[in-house]
Amino acid sequence: MTTGKRIGGSVANFVDERTGAGRALKKNLGKVFPDHWSFMLGEVAMYSFVILLLSGTFLTFFFVPSQEEIIYQGNYAPLSGLSMSQAYASTVDMSFDVRGGMLMRQVHHWSALIFLAAMVVHMMRVFFTGAYRKPREFNWIIGVGLLTLGIVEGFLGYSLPDDLLSGTGIRIAEAIIQAVPLVGTYVAFFLFGGGFPGTIFISRIYTIHVLLVPGIILALITAHVLLVWFQKHTQYPGPGRTEKNVVGFPLLPVYMAKAGGFFFIVFGITTFLGAVASINPIWLYGPYNPSQISAGSQPDWYMGWLDGLVRMAPNWETHAFGHTVSWNILIPGLIVPGIMFTGLALWPFIESWVTGDKREHHLLERPRNAPTRTAVGAMALTFTMVTLINGGNDLLAITFDLSINQIMWFSRIGVFVLPPIAYFVTKRICLGLQHKDRDTVLHGRESGRLVMLPSGEFIEVHEPIDQYARYSLTNHEQPEVVELQLEDAHGVARPGSVKEKIRARLSRGMYGEQVQKPTEKDLLELEDGHH
Amino acid sequence: MSDTHSGHESSGHQSSTALSPLADPGLPPHVYRRADTEPRAAKKAERQVAILFALSAVSTVAFVASFVGIEKDAFIFIPLFGSTQAQQLALGMTLALSLFLIGAGAVHWAKTLMPDHEVIQDRHELRSSDEDRQGVIEVFREGAEAAGLGRRSLIKRTLLGSMGLVTLTPILLLRDLGPLPGKQLETTNWEAGRRLVTDPDGKPLKASDIQVGAVAHILPEMPEGSELTLNDMVKDPVILVRLRPEDFNLPADRKDWVHEGIIAFSKICSHMGCAVGLYEQQTHHLLCPCHQSTFDVETGAQVIFGPAARPLPQLAITVDSEGYLIAKQGFTEPVGPSFWERSS
């Protein structure tokens, strides 16, 4: 036994005798995880969060979270002699006077964008494959919470430098708070320590940004990953993969190497972006002053949909009994986002209520095999895209020389018209793809080889697919419509309740139209031999 | 790991789901990689991994060199990118490479040399067994029994009551986060006789200083010794526009709020409080860059497009004995975005 092994052994012994870690490790190090590129999306989000913690900690060493006004006399000449807050000045200083400071700021901002983008794309993967179904509803809700907190955290983060652009964003957030009936004005005065902007909000949102929200995010990520661990990861359907097993590679060594390596890859790419792609150059925006504004003011992309909603809102305001209700702010700023996020969180329960499906699901579904879900997702994404586009209507108008009023009207109408179109088109595409799958199973795949028959007719030769592919293409559920029961168990007529009627109707909408996948009979006929 | 079995001989699970009309053929046959069968290929892969790791180390050395060797304020010009801080770029590129190559090496290692046999593990139902559930209920019941929760209702009630009350303390403690709003949102520094001065120079203006078609950014002149704070800047800024007097189409009671075609509006948007900083000279429209609310100067800043619900409040102006522009009176309504207590 070498010295190294002896020391390692005694350390392991010391730890195990005091913690019993050996038992847990033996059980878990060989844990199997299914492999698919789309399972990396959540990993990207988690690694970006780690990068945010690392780069963010560095930034706190140099950032001064204070609104005390000073006269800038640093190295960045164009700002010389201007009055600005310490927060702004220290951000400029760390960009120009700290070695690697600019890099770390840019890495931090880029990884925030990647964190949010990865969460959104991960969530789309989970949605479109039905991974949120029982028993994973908790994790879906945790995910919705993480997305919400991520958006808030990002917004607070880019507000910290107290530059003209972010100050404008905070002003808008304050106006939304102020618009809340009854308590809004009071909440705003408490948050800002008096009238806007006051002298204390930077230090307050600093604490929220570096301690409170990241702490909650960290706790939620821990719970999220632990649940994945205990419930075991879902897997795509295919030969050898069932609801009762999990097929993949063991944690040690393959996943340790792949996942660990992937962290470094994400970190490397983020650093590359931070090195070459300028982001949030606050020294160009200038310090915040409520009487100033720059044209083309845009929030970061994950707030863009909200800004787009606010821009397209009709200008309704109610004045009655000495009070004002700003529908033009409340509807786009609070009510619609509230509906969007509540609907997102409740979707697994809505779906399982309509389908009546209370079973556990560990096999994912291909989006085409759940046409209604896929169509609903496409509808929601289309809605969000229209609002996002409207959030950049001023830039679009300038870039493409369009009328801003026309873009606004396009969005105002499009936000109602386009999502249903997306629903309809997506559903047709899914059903079309189901047809194609059925065709492939029964008649094989197109070989691209044309043959001329003696009669002169040209046909394309179809090659039969192998048993594994054939199994994959037929291995999905085709649930039945939940029909309204108009007779009870004894055959006595009963009227369905309103709830039952709604459900039967939704169920018909969801499953009423399907492409029947090949049956055993079809396949037997096939084997008996025709062409 | 008793429930683990290495892939390919196993076919015991095929009937567990009857989703497909076909029998589950089990995992497809394993395809071996070159490195699995040819020692030379394996050796080559090993070398590749090592080279990636070594290059990462080289890049880290370059990082150190750029940290100490490049001047902080040296700029270099890079085609397409423009002029950029040389040190930040070098630090970023070397660090990016160091990190990326470690990752690339590890992944390459896993993909070429680590076992790629798929492994099958069983899933177990998440639900606890009925006995376990019964046991838990039993334990809870016994615990509650032992504590006497059922019998000693006085304790239960006082405990719940005191816990409920104590949660109110944080709400109280947060009271001093800020003062009550009072009339703060409804007042500005504008009052009768106050001069209009330019922002940021602070110069008083005569009517002759502003040509037809021009705009000016205005603040109230403050008495000696007091300065405008940022909180004033949220309410006081005014935008001044001069049109020909015949261009206006104002409500009757506001006709004399204008001086020789010069009209003054609050610059703070009545929607969400951004500065309404864009003026279209041809159409006489003021536009807020935040949400594109558009206000028509001729009709007294009526909203003609966008989400704003109210016109920009107008400041009545005139001139003093020396000919300088002054406010005739303060704003007659609160400026800026709406709030619950706003009465008009």
Side-chain angles (χ1 to χ4, degrees), chain A residues 99 102-103 171 185 198 204 233 240-241 244 246 248 261 291 307 315 317 323-324 326 328 393 474 517, chain B residues 19-20 24 67 85 87-88 103 118-119 121 123 177 231 234 267 291-292 307-308 338 340-342 344:
Chain A
R99 283 183 279 188
M102 171 89 83
L103 177 68
R171 166 83 251 214
T185 317
R204 284 185 181 169
H233 206 290
R241 285 142 221 266
K244 306 266 184 202
V246 46
S291 72
D307 205 43
N315 64 341
E317 209 170 74
H323 291 289
T324 300
S326 308
N328 54 348
N393 58 4
T474 52
K517 68 181 186 182
Chain B
L19 293 177
S20 174
D24 186 349
F67 195 88
Q85 285 170 288
Q87 191 187 41
Q88 302 278 358
E118 283 188 307
V119 174
Q121 274 178 358
R123 288 182 194 273
L177 278 175
N231 275 37
V234 178
K267 196 173 142 190
H291 305 105
Q292 285 82 47
S338 297
W340 172 249
E341 293 83 359
R342 194 193 147 96
S344 60

Side-chain angles (χ1 to χ4, degrees), chain A residues 171-215:
Chain A
R171 166 83 251 214
I172 293 169
E174 195 266 352
I176 294 180
I177 298 168
Q178 200 176 289
V180 176
L182 240 60
V183 296
T185 317
Y186 288 82
V187 174
F189 268 69
F190 287 151
L191 288 178
F192 288 86
F196 179 84
T199 54
I200 195 144
F201 86 86
I202 290 288
S203 66
R204 284 185 181 169
I205 65 174
Y206 180 71
T207 304
I208 298 172
H209 178 76
V210 306
L211 177 74
L212 197 58
V213 180

Side-chain angles (χ1 to χ4, degrees), chain B residues 299-314:
Chain B
T299 56
Q302 292 293 330
V303 183
I304 54 169
F305 191 73
R310 289 177 289 102
L312 298 171
Q314 187 181 343

Side-chain angles (χ1 to χ4, degrees), chain B residues 302-326:
Chain B
Q302 292 293 330
V303 183
I304 54 169
F305 191 73
R310 289 177 289 102
L312 298 171
Q314 187 181 343
L315 183 69
I317 54 169
T318 183
V319 287
D320 61 12
S321 52
E322 295 172 57
Y324 288 112
L325 291 167
I326 55 166

Side-chain angles (χ1 to χ4, degrees), chain A residues 30-32 69 95-103 135-136 168 171-172 175-176 178 180-182 185-186 189-190 193-198 204 230-235 239-250 253-254 257-258 261-262 264-265 267-269 271-272 275-276 288-295 307 310-311 313 315 317 319 322-326 328-329 360 362-363 393-394 404-405 408-409 412 467-468 470-471 474-477 517-520 523, chain B residues 1 3-4 13-14 16-17 19-29 63 67-68 70 72-73 75 81 84-85 87-89 91-93 95-100 102-104 106-107 109-111 114-127 174-182 184-185 199 217 219 230-231 233-234 237 267-268 270-278 287 289-292 294 303 305-310 337-344:
Chain A
K31 195 173 181 75
V32 164
E69 291 282 312
S95 304
F96 292 106
D97 294 340
V98 174
R99 283 183 279 188
M102 171 89 83
L103 177 68
R136 295 183 177 78
T168 304
R171 166 83 251 214
I172 293 169
I176 294 180
Q178 200 176 289
V180 176
L182 240 60
T185 317
Y186 288 82
F189 268 69
F190 287 151
F196 179 84
R204 284 185 181 169
F230 286 123
Q231 295 177 335
K232 294 200 168 88
H233 206 290
T234 51
Q235 59 190 350
R241 285 142 221 266
T242 72
E243 292 282 8
K244 306 266 184 202
N245 71 10
V246 46
V247 181
F249 299 110
V254 182
K258 272 193 180 175
F262 191 49
F264 282 97
I265 289 177
F267 206 165
I269 291 173
T271 310
F272 175 74
V276 301
Y288 180 56
N289 181 328
S291 72
Q292 295 170 1
I293 187 86
S294 48
D307 205 43
V310 172
R311 288 176 187 209
N315 64 341
E317 209 170 74
H319 304 274
H323 291 289
T324 300
V325 183
S326 308
N328 54 348
I329 297 177
E360 278 190 18
H362 303 289
L363 282 180
N393 58 4
D394 45 349
I404 199 161
N405 305 38
M408 192 91 96
W409 275 110
R412 281 175 172 177
Q467 54 170 343
Y468 301 106
R470 217 185 310 161
Y471 180 77
T474 52
N475 181 33
H476 58 274
E477 279 192 330
K517 68 181 186 182
T519 60
E520 206 163 355
L523 291 162
Chain B
M1 261 190 293
D3 58 1
T4 299
H13 292 286
Q14 44 182 254
S16 55
T17 47
L19 293 177
S20 174
L22 295 163
D24 186 349
L27 293 181
F63 177 87
F67 195 88
V68 292
I70 304 181
K72 207 164 53 184
D73 35 18
F75 275 72
F81 280 89
T84 185
Q85 285 170 288
Q87 191 187 41
Q88 302 278 358
L89 183 67
L91 290 176
M93 294 300 284
L95 182 60
L97 260 185
S98 311
L99 294 166
F100 184 85
I102 291 178
V107 171
W109 181 13
K111 288 201 144 195
M114 290 185 190
D116 74 333
H117 273 271
E118 283 188 307
V119 174
I120 301 178
Q121 274 178 358
D122 290 331
R123 288 182 194 273
H124 307 284
E125 199 181 20
L126 288 161
R127 182 188 187 281
L174 290 176
R175 165 61 189 89
D176 283 346
L177 278 175
L180 296 182
Q184 250 201 71
L185 290 176
D199 177 17
H217 299 274
L219 292 171
L230 283 184
N231 275 37
M233 297 295 237
V234 178
K267 196 173 142 190
I268 306 302
S270 62
H271 177 225
M272 288 179 134
C274 296
V276 182
L278 296 177
L287 186 110
C290 283
H291 305 105
Q292 285 82 47
T294 311
V303 183
F305 191 73
R310 289 177 289 102
S338 297
F339 50 98
W340 172 249
E341 293 83 359
R342 194 193 147 96
S343 56
S344 60

